[in-house]
Amino acid sequence: MSTDCLNCGAPVMQNYCANCGQKSTTHRYSIKHFIEHDFIHGVWHVDKGILFTLKSLFTRPGHSVREYIQGKRVPYFSFITLILLILTVSGLIAPYAHGNMSDLMPKSGKAMMNDLEKFISHYPKLVLIITIPVYSCFSLIWFRKAKLNFSEHLVLNSYRVIVEMIIGLLVSVLTIFYHNTQVLLFLYFGVLSFLGLFYSIWFYYQFFSAFNYRKIALILRSILVPVSYNLLALLLGIVYAVIAKR
């Protein structure tokens, strides 16, 4: 025997409405039910989605994001929501962090920085978000055989950037408790830069491994995406420096 959905009024034959997705049974709110069901259930499902997504991005990044783009989306947390969440957490801890990377640099290093480098140093997370469409252009060019559209490249590069944002967030947290500028500079510009490059190559290699690329070509193209971006950034920096001197 069917009943009508309390949300949209469509006939409901099973546990969920086929029209809007609401459960066929609803409950009357009470303090006990709110604590035992809605609060715990809601928090668990959000945490489960975040933890599953983060675990996948650190253990099988390319495969998991490819699954998401190809339609397996229920287990994964939205990349937009996750980016906004990371930015929110970064904003909350910013007043307690030991400055940004430009503040850690010695005065002689600051004097050598041009305006573009200062902007990048002051707003690293904003710069990461700006790089998403640029990286997407290069991944589209080098992996055009995969026949993904630009929007799909934006999604895959958004998930790739999330890991870099999380690592940057961890460094910001570290600066709250640790103030050795030399170690922090080495960590940020040395170790993290290398890890970011390695992660990008690993990410692209996994993601595009299902698109019939030969192994050597797959490795080479996975390297060329971040290399192309860094060459472009270097070229823009040189051009900006020349223009600024005039």
Side-chain angles (χ1 to χ4, degrees):
M1 182 177 179
S2 65
T3 58
D4 292 338
C5 174
L6 297 177
N7 181 55
C8 67
V12 180
M13 303 295 295
Q14 298 181 0
N15 293 332
Y16 293 89
C17 175
N19 185 52
C20 70
Q22 177 167 291
K23 292 188 68 173
S24 58
T25 58
T26 57
H27 57 272
R28 186 174 181 179
Y29 277 101
S30 66
I31 297 297
K32 179 181 178 181
H33 199 286
F34 173 77
I35 295 174
E36 292 181 351
H37 183 270
D38 292 291
F39 180 76
I40 296 176
H41 180 80
V43 171
W44 166 249
H45 272 68
V46 170
D47 288 349
K48 184 179 179 182
I50 292 177
L51 293 178
F52 178 81
T53 302
L54 294 180
K55 178 184 176 183
S56 299
L57 288 176
F58 279 95
T59 57
R60 48 190 303 271
H63 296 316
S64 61
V65 175
R66 187 179 65 250
E67 291 172 356
Y68 178 87
I69 288 178
Q70 292 178 342
K72 188 177 180 180
R73 297 175 186 176
V74 171
Y76 296 101
F77 206 68
S78 166
F79 64 94
I80 295 177
T81 308
L82 196 49
I83 288 175
L84 291 175
L85 181 61
I86 296 171
L87 290 176
T88 300
V89 175
S90 299
L92 290 174
I93 69 171
Y96 308 100
H98 186 59
N100 50 51
M101 288 302 110
S102 63
D103 296 329
L104 297 176
M105 297 184 69
K107 292 182 178 180
S108 57
K110 288 182 181 181
M112 295 175 61
M113 293 177 66
N114 59 37
D115 293 337
L116 182 60
E117 290 172 328
K118 290 178 181 178
F119 178 83
I120 294 173
S121 181
H122 275 286
Y123 306 103
K125 293 180 179 61
L126 177 60
V127 171
L128 281 176
I129 294 176
I130 295 174
T131 65
I132 292 175
V134 181
Y135 264 96
S136 298
C137 289
F138 285 122
S139 61
L140 178 64
I141 292 171
W142 290 113
F143 290 100
R144 55 188 178 276
K145 180 182 173 182
K147 299 188 183 302
L148 298 177
N149 60 44
F150 185 69
S151 296
E152 290 168 325
H153 281 272
L154 285 175
V155 173
L156 73 92
N157 281 290
S158 295
Y159 273 114
R160 181 193 58 79
V161 158
I162 285 172
V163 170
E164 295 186 42
M165 294 180 69
I166 291 173
I167 294 174
L169 178 61
L170 294 176
V171 172
S172 297
V173 173
L174 178 62
T175 63
I176 299 176
F177 308 99
Y178 189 75
H179 305 287
N180 188 312
T181 56
Q182 296 300 320
V183 174
L184 290 173
L185 283 171
F186 173 75
L187 179 65
Y188 190 84
F189 291 106
V191 177
L192 295 187
S193 297
F194 173 78
L195 289 178
L197 177 62
F198 175 80
Y199 180 83
S200 294
I201 296 171
W202 180 39
F203 179 94
Y204 293 122
Y205 180 86
Q206 279 197 0
F207 185 95
F208 292 102
S209 62
F211 292 93
N212 298 319
Y213 284 98
R214 291 181 298 175
K215 188 172 183 180
I216 297 299
L218 183 60
I219 294 174
L220 180 61
R221 291 172 186 272
S222 299
I223 295 173
L224 284 172
V225 176
V227 168
S228 298
Y229 168 80
N230 284 302
L231 288 176
L232 176 63
L234 177 62
L235 178 62
L236 291 177
I238 294 173
V239 171
Y240 184 87
V242 172
I243 295 175
K245 288 182 178 180
R246 291 184 178 180

